[in-house]
Amino acid sequence: MFESLQERLSGVFDRLTRRGALSEEDVSVALREVRVALLEADVALPVVKDFVAAVKEKAVGQEVLRSVTPGQQVVKIVHDELVAMLGGVAEDEGAQAGQPFELRGLGLNLNVTPPAPILMVGLQGSGKTTTTAKIAKRLAEREKKKVLMASLDVRRPAAQEQLALLGIQAGIATLPIVPGETPVKIAKRALQTGALEGYDVVMLDTAGRLAIDEALMAEVAAVRDATKPSETLLVADAMTGQDAVNVATAFKDKVGLSGIVLTRVDGDARGGAALSMRAVTGCPIKLLGTGEQIDKLETFHADRIAGRILG
Ligand code: GDP
């Protein structure tokens, strides 16, 4: 992800930093190129407009243009605005405690009377079931949580078996399958089992559809009402660009979201979804899916992503 955007921007900033003095016009020309690069990366137009305006306002200040290294100052402003657009630098308890990055937790809210219900929502094929197992494994291994997974997908044949198989591979318990139950019934049984058997977390993998529809939203909302999740995570495919942003908006409005997991960031997505998601929906991107394998899950850090884009 971000390869072509990174290439485009590094060209613009190379030219800018090579010059000694900068005029307002130089900054305007560079920002026009940044604007085109962001639009080509499929970033939503209002987000691009706000971003360029914010950079311009800060960059044409007299102190920046009169400084010894105006080009570098402008790049720094772009970096800081990118971080802000991506949600800012989150408070990271692990970082504050000086823990190495690899050992830190996922930062999900499990701060409720156990078991903490985590509701996984999204379109079919977005990577929901895989991500459910990835998160469960991580919580079990790094955060030493006892995790139970349950598939609420009663429509797609073999969806429940798929999760059970992933559970076996990952060493995570799954709720025994009882044919004929409704999603709400399965969810309630999962929470009851979780409470009785001392689980810390119950992950609920809901059914997806190929596109947003009323029935899907009503089903997910009913499960939400029955389970009061501590996290409702949308799994969205980064490769689908602006569509992923529209899906996030629909889920946010109809179901409510506490966070977004962006999958397939290992692919050649242009990055527009990652860059627009937070600004358009107001929901934080919390995690990234970086491959098919079960351990390919990363926490999202705005400053790391901004650093990757700006090289
Ligand atoms: P669901 O229908 O939303 O539950 O989607 P699945 O979890 O079944 O995933 C659909 C496909 O996407 C599977 O082949 C997964 O292995 C693959 N997949 C999921 N997450 C990622 C990811 O982060 N990167 C890549 N490359 N593939 C992924």
Side-chain angles (χ1 to χ4, degrees):
M1 194 164 66
F2 297 130
E3 277 84 6
S4 61
L5 177 63
Q6 203 238 326
E7 210 169 287
R8 291 282 302 269
L9 292 181
S10 71
V12 178
F13 295 139
D14 272 353
R15 286 194 290 283
L16 209 59
T17 45
R18 253 190 272 123
R19 311 172 69 129
L22 282 187
S23 67
E24 245 185 84
E25 179 57 20
D26 295 329
V27 175
S28 294
V29 169
L31 285 181
R32 271 202 292 277
E33 289 170 347
V34 170
R35 180 190 157 95
V36 173
L38 289 173
L39 288 172
E40 280 180 4
D42 211 15
V43 181
L45 180 62
V47 178
V48 175
K49 279 188 173 162
D50 287 350
F51 177 79
V52 171
V55 173
K56 190 160 190 173
E57 195 191 312
K58 297 194 171 103
V60 297
Q62 293 305 315
E63 276 154 44
V64 172
L65 293 182
R66 280 202 207 128
S67 72
V68 189
T69 53
Q72 277 161 26
Q73 306 261 9
V74 173
V75 177
K76 164 95 173 53
I77 292 167
V78 169
H79 174 273
D80 292 350
E81 285 303 319
L82 260 181
V83 172
M85 174 167 126
L86 290 166
V89 180
E91 288 198 13
D92 188 326
E93 286 172 22
Q96 282 162 11
Q99 249 177 354
F101 183 71
E102 294 69 28
L103 296 180
R104 283 179 219 157
L106 293 179
L108 298 177
N109 174 27
L110 308 175
N111 214 355
V112 294
T113 309
I118 298 184
L119 189 61
M120 305 295 291
V121 304
L123 296 186
Q124 194 175 309
S126 59
K128 199 159 22 65
T129 303
T130 313
T131 304
T132 301
K134 285 179 178 179
I135 292 175
K137 186 158 192 268
R138 207 48 117 61
L139 290 175
E141 283 181 355
R142 296 240 187 112
E143 301 183 42
K144 306 294 173 220
K145 299 294 181 196
K146 191 176 169 193
V147 186
L148 177 68
M149 302 192 291
S151 168
L152 313 186
D153 189 347
V154 294
R155 276 193 191 71
R156 202 157 52 94
Q160 298 189 61
E161 284 82 0
Q162 184 195 346
L163 188 70
L165 195 65
L166 277 170
I168 291 167
Q169 287 164 3
I172 304 292
T174 47
L175 187 74
I177 298 168
V178 175
E181 281 184 335
T182 62
V184 167
K185 191 110 190 270
I186 301 173
K188 283 185 174 166
R189 183 162 59 87
L191 289 186
Q192 277 158 9
T193 306
L196 276 174
E197 299 183 8
Y199 282 91
D200 301 305
V201 179
V202 170
M203 304 217 43
L204 303 168
D205 181 20
T206 60
R209 299 276 200 288
L210 290 174
I212 296 285
D213 66 45
E214 289 300 322
L216 168 67
M217 290 305 184
E219 182 181 301
V220 175
V223 173
R224 174 204 61 200
D225 293 345
T227 58
K228 312 257 178 308
S230 66
E231 290 275 1
T232 302
L233 300 177
L234 173 79
V235 179
D237 181 349
M239 299 292 287
T240 61
Q242 274 309 114
D243 255 0
V245 181
N246 297 337
V247 167
T249 306
F251 270 97
K252 190 206 161 205
D253 292 348
K254 294 276 162 66
V255 180
L257 297 173
S258 61
I260 294 164
V261 184
L262 211 54
T263 60
R264 296 210 181 81
V265 302
D266 50 309
D268 58 359
R270 286 176 287 171
L275 290 170
S276 312
M277 208 65 117
R278 173 66 192 244
V280 173
T281 66
C283 287
I285 300 177
K286 293 196 168 173
L287 302 168
L288 300 175
T290 55
E292 292 197 58
Q293 299 94 320
I294 193 115
D295 60 336
K296 296 287 185 193
L297 183 73
E298 291 178 14
T299 44
F300 179 88
H301 289 281
D303 48 349
R304 283 184 158 218
I305 297 290
R308 220 165 97 188
I309 294 167
L310 297 178

